[in-house]
Amino acid sequence: MRAAQRDGGLDGATVVIAGASSGIGRATARAFAAQGARLVLAARRRDMLEDAAAECRRAGGDAIAVPADVTSPSDMRHLLDAAIDRYGGVDVWINNAGVGAVGWFEDVPLEAHHRTIETNLLGPLNGAHAVLPHFIDRGRGVLINTSSIGAWVYPPGAVAYAAAKAGLHGLTEALRHEMRRHSGVHVCAIYPSFVDTPGLKHAGNYTGRTLDPRGPMQSPERIARLMVDLAAHPRPRVPVGLPTLLGRVAYALAPDLVGRAMLAGVEMALARATPGRNGSGNLFGPPEDRMAVRGGGQSLLPLAVGLGAAGLLAAGALAAGRRAA
């Protein structure tokens, strides 16, 4: 990066965010803009991107909107070209776009499973394949993948999402090892747990129930602040919050126990939910409603509590087994 970025500052840095029209991506764009960064914002809806770009300019940065679909390699190459044409190069690239399909595996159409994996795994692969040669040529750059607790804990009712996030974790780790050949190129990942975004509202829903859980969640602004810090001070992995830590430990110690607890939690939540219509959500196109940073207090808090309880039970069982041995 230029001298302004070598000391950890981001004023004047060029940051590309794929998946910037709502949720974590939009909050992250605002946070970088407040640092004086120059933003290249990508998503499928031009109108929402233009709104996000205007917010960034008001926050103190510069920004352009580039409509793009992360599942298209040519769109990702065009996104890179647009950033270079406008700002001369890219310093930070964030793969943040994500979708989900909720429902029992056999009830979710195969094309919905495919689309979830295309967006959440092949999307970051496409973005990385576009930008990493640019970073290598320049001798510097930071690639950040937005992963999830789902990289380490695999929830029933979201099979393709879990598969994609587990794959993204492997992709990120392998890329980081490869990039050790280029000391100025950093590959990072951030692992939130449950974030208050419109993601669940916009997900493909094949449960026949209304998905509208409530309660406390991590804020998108918290994730955005961590993104900014990660760009300025690259680190391999940033797990976010106690639920991620508890879930990772619990699943490592007792995957079957955690799996049974999660299944019971999902079944209970669906049994209590009101009937609703199935639909593909934003899987095959952007949602028609106005998009926002927050989702209105959606929560999977019982799942987090279940993970923590399962982790404590697993730790106790492990300790008892060691004492008996």
Side-chain angles (χ1 to χ4, degrees):
M1 298 183 185
R2 297 173 309 180
Q5 286 84 56
R6 289 194 188 103
D7 61 2
L10 291 165
D11 186 23
T14 300
V15 181
V16 175
I17 304 175
S21 59
S22 67
I24 292 172
R26 192 157 181 166
T28 298
R30 294 174 181 172
F32 274 104
Q35 299 293 316
R38 305 180 299 185
L39 283 303
V40 181
L41 307 181
R44 292 174 292 181
R45 278 185 62 175
R46 177 180 288 277
D47 59 335
M48 297 310 301
L49 282 177
E50 294 290 358
D51 288 348
E55 288 178 354
C56 290
R57 289 189 286 271
R58 289 194 296 270
D62 189 23
I64 61 171
V66 182
D69 188 329
V70 298
T71 66
S72 167
S74 62
D75 277 11
M76 292 299 94
R77 291 191 294 270
H78 172 67
L79 180 59
L80 174 66
D81 290 342
I84 294 172
D85 289 346
R86 178 61 176 261
Y87 297 121
V90 176
D91 298 303
V92 180
W93 181 291
I94 300 175
N95 288 316
N96 178 73
V99 298
V102 182
W104 304 126
F105 178 76
E106 67 274 15
D107 294 333
V108 176
L110 190 58
E111 58 267 24
H113 288 304
H114 284 183
R115 185 65 175 181
T116 300
I117 292 172
E118 286 171 350
T119 302
N120 296 357
L121 177 56
L122 297 186
L125 186 149
N126 292 337
H129 202 265
V131 76
L132 282 176
H134 174 69
F135 284 168
I136 291 169
D137 287 345
R138 301 183 84 203
R140 61 188 187 272
V142 180
L143 173 70
I144 301 174
N145 290 330
T146 302
S147 190
S148 158
I149 188 176
W152 296 312
V153 180
Y154 313 117
V159 170
Y161 181 87
K165 291 302 183 180
L168 180 58
H169 177 66
L171 171 69
T172 305
E173 293 291 303
L175 276 179
R176 184 183 306 113
H177 298 324
E178 282 198 20
M179 290 302 112
R180 294 182 191 279
R181 298 172 299 145
H182 310 283
S183 60
V185 178
H186 304 277
V187 178
C188 315
I190 189 167
Y191 297 82
S193 55
F194 311 117
V195 184
D196 179 18
T197 73
L200 188 60
K201 176 183 176 183
H202 292 153
N205 180 4
Y206 301 94
T207 66
R209 316 295 285 182
T210 299
L211 301 178
D212 191 27
R214 298 282 174 174
M217 301 183 77
Q218 294 175 347
S219 73
E221 291 82 6
R222 177 185 181 185
I223 311 305
R225 290 191 296 270
L226 290 171
M227 288 277 201
V228 171
D229 184 66
L230 188 56
H233 309 285
R235 304 180 299 285
R237 304 161 208 87
V238 179
V240 183
L242 187 59
T244 300
L245 176 62
L246 290 175
R248 185 180 184 186
V249 171
Y251 200 89
L253 290 173
D256 291 337
L257 179 61
V258 173
R260 286 193 292 270
M262 289 192 294
L263 177 59
V266 171
E267 288 178 325
M268 180 175 65
L270 291 178
R272 292 179 175 179
T274 59
R277 291 184 177 181
N278 287 353
S280 60
N282 67 348
L283 286 172
F284 303 102
E288 296 180 358
D289 61 342
R290 301 294 294 175
M291 300 172 75
V293 170
R294 289 180 176 255
Q298 299 170 349
S299 177
L300 297 179
L301 186 61
L303 178 58
V305 173
L307 290 174
L312 293 175
L313 288 171
L318 183 63
R322 286 177 174 171
R323 287 195 298 268

